[in-house]
Amino acid sequence: MPKDYGVLTIGDAMITMNPKTTGPLRYVDQFERKVGGAEMNFAIGCARLGLKSRWISRLGKDEFGKVIYNFARGEGIDVSAVEFVEGIPTSLNFKEIHANGAGKTYYYRNPSPIVELRANDISEEMFEGIDVVHLTGVYLAIGEANLLVAQKIIEIAKRKGILISFDPNIRLKLWSIEKARKAYETVLPEVDILLTGLDEIQLISGKQTIEELVEYVKKFGIRDLVIKDGEKGSKLFRNGNWTESPGFSVTPIDTVGAGDGFDAGYIYGILNDLTEADLLKFANGVGALVTTVTGDNEGLPYLEEVKDFVSNKRVVER
């Protein structure tokens, strides 16, 4: 019987207002209420792939907070470490989507309820049954004290032999690159799996060539350097060798959440001992499927859907 693998993540979740029409936000007057957030998307992606998914967070004690909480539970996410706080409303964002599927996001999350979560709120019990801890730069950007919380999580995970994955997920609307770089370089020495876009790692490191990027990452002792490059595919540097996998050809409708889906797919592959090539192919497939549906996480696929898609068993019809 296969092992029941578990993942743990921490981060803000938001009510996402999706535009009903494409183009500049100032011309949009109708929106659909959705649920989003990088870590929430990751947690949903893992749950749909059959992993036990636990999410640590704080929500405003308001109607939107209840929407997010119930939504997460409905996706099978363990919300035992999620609490409601008074005095800070649940975070919001408004999306702007262009005709080609690209877009912008406008945040209303300062402060976010998650700044009420402190390092002493992190308990050993939260790590029971967990095989991978996934952190992102979004969480670090929301509040300065969040780095201390992340360090507490890392300390417990390392002591328990739990793998740590990290997606920089840079949000320069939330902090400067200088602050981001300082926080990232505090975390990176403890990271086993770095999941990053090419432009992100270039921005963080100040390096441009692949050779320079490898040298930059090597100094932190990171096992897997994974570079996500959208429709072009992805590549993995492990044990001194590169493995590359091309992207899948789909018609993108909404690219938001594709990177989070890729992360979930990669972690699934790691836990299920996929080869380097199959690992990237599977993660690319998850990311591609996400872009075929409007919404931050509506397109996150279930396990059989990914398996069928990457093996060309059927055409995507959604």
Side-chain angles (χ1 to χ4, degrees):
M1 184 174 180
K3 183 180 176 183
D4 197 10
Y5 293 109
V7 297
L8 171 69
T9 191
I10 180 171
D12 194 17
M14 299 171 289
I15 292 295
T16 294
M17 303 303 285
N18 262 27
K20 286 196 170 184
T21 55
T22 59
L25 202 61
R26 61 185 176 272
Y27 299 122
V28 179
D29 58 8
Q30 290 186 318
F31 297 85
E32 290 181 294
R33 188 196 70 199
K34 305 282 187 177
V35 173
E39 298 86 5
M40 168 65 79
N41 296 340
F42 173 81
I44 293 171
C46 289
R48 290 187 185 175
L49 294 175
L51 302 175
K52 290 188 301 180
S53 187
R54 184 171 299 148
W55 173 52
I56 303 171
S57 193
R58 295 292 182 268
L59 298 167
K61 198 170 185 179
D62 51 33
E63 292 300 306
F64 282 159
K66 293 174 185 175
V67 168
I68 293 172
Y69 187 84
N70 291 335
F71 179 78
R73 286 200 307 175
E75 288 289 343
I77 296 170
D78 180 341
V79 293
S80 58
V82 178
E83 296 180 9
F84 296 94
V85 300
E86 298 273 10
I88 302 178
T90 299
S91 300
L92 303 174
N93 76 57
F94 285 77
K95 287 169 62 178
E96 176 181 281
I97 300 175
H98 300 160
N100 64 356
K104 298 178 182 177
T105 302
Y106 299 86
Y107 299 103
Y108 299 86
R109 68 194 316 182
N110 188 17
S112 159
I114 206 166
V115 299
E116 292 295 296
L117 193 153
R118 297 287 187 264
N120 58 12
D121 293 317
I122 304 301
S123 66
E124 300 270 344
E125 291 73 25
M126 293 176 182
F127 296 80
E128 291 180 4
I130 298 301
D131 299 283
V132 175
V133 165
H134 181 72
L135 302 172
T136 86
V138 180
Y139 174 66
L140 298 180
I142 292 172
E144 291 186 9
N146 289 359
L147 179 59
L148 297 176
V149 180
Q151 288 175 309
K152 175 72 174 293
I153 290 172
I154 289 168
E155 183 271 318
I156 297 175
K158 285 293 181 181
R159 179 155 38 84
K160 292 179 174 291
I162 297 170
L163 286 174
I164 296 173
S165 68
F166 180 66
D167 186 336
N169 226 324
I170 296 176
R171 296 289 189 271
L172 294 181
K173 290 182 178 179
L174 299 178
W175 61 353
S176 68
I177 185 57
E178 291 77 19
K179 287 185 177 180
R181 186 179 293 124
K182 184 176 180 181
Y184 294 163
E185 293 189 349
T186 300
V187 169
L188 287 175
E190 309 300 333
V191 169
D192 299 295
I193 301 164
L194 177 60
L195 300 154
T196 179
L198 179 59
D199 56 342
E200 286 182 318
I201 191 62
Q202 288 173 331
L203 194 58
I204 294 164
S205 66
K207 312 296 183 183
Q208 293 300 311
T209 69
I210 290 295
E211 293 75 19
E212 290 175 325
L213 294 175
V214 167
E215 290 305 312
Y216 174 79
V217 170
K218 274 184 176 179
K219 70 181 183 180
F220 298 112
I222 293 168
R223 189 191 76 180
D224 286 9
L225 166 60
V226 185
I227 296 181
K228 301 178 281 185
D229 203 7
E231 62 184 12
K232 295 179 182 178
S234 58
K235 60 179 65 175
L236 161 65
F237 185 79
R238 179 194 284 177
N239 295 329
N241 298 306
W242 281 105
T243 302
E244 298 189 36
S245 181
F248 291 90
S249 180
V250 296
T251 301
I253 296 173
D254 185 353
T255 60
V256 174
D260 306 321
F262 179 100
D263 293 353
Y266 193 88
I267 296 307
Y268 171 88
I270 285 287
L271 292 173
N272 286 277
D273 297 321
L274 298 188
T275 65
E276 284 91 339
D278 287 343
L279 188 55
L280 294 178
K281 185 177 182 181
F282 187 88
N284 286 345
V286 176
L289 286 170
V290 172
T291 70
T292 64
V293 178
T294 300
D296 287 24
N297 45 58
E298 282 76 2
L300 287 163
Y302 291 88
L303 182 59
E304 290 305 314
E305 292 179 296
V306 187
K307 288 182 174 179
D308 287 348
F309 179 63
V310 300
S311 61
N312 296 314
K313 284 187 179 178
R314 61 185 175 84
V315 177
V316 178
E317 295 177 344
R318 55 176 185 161

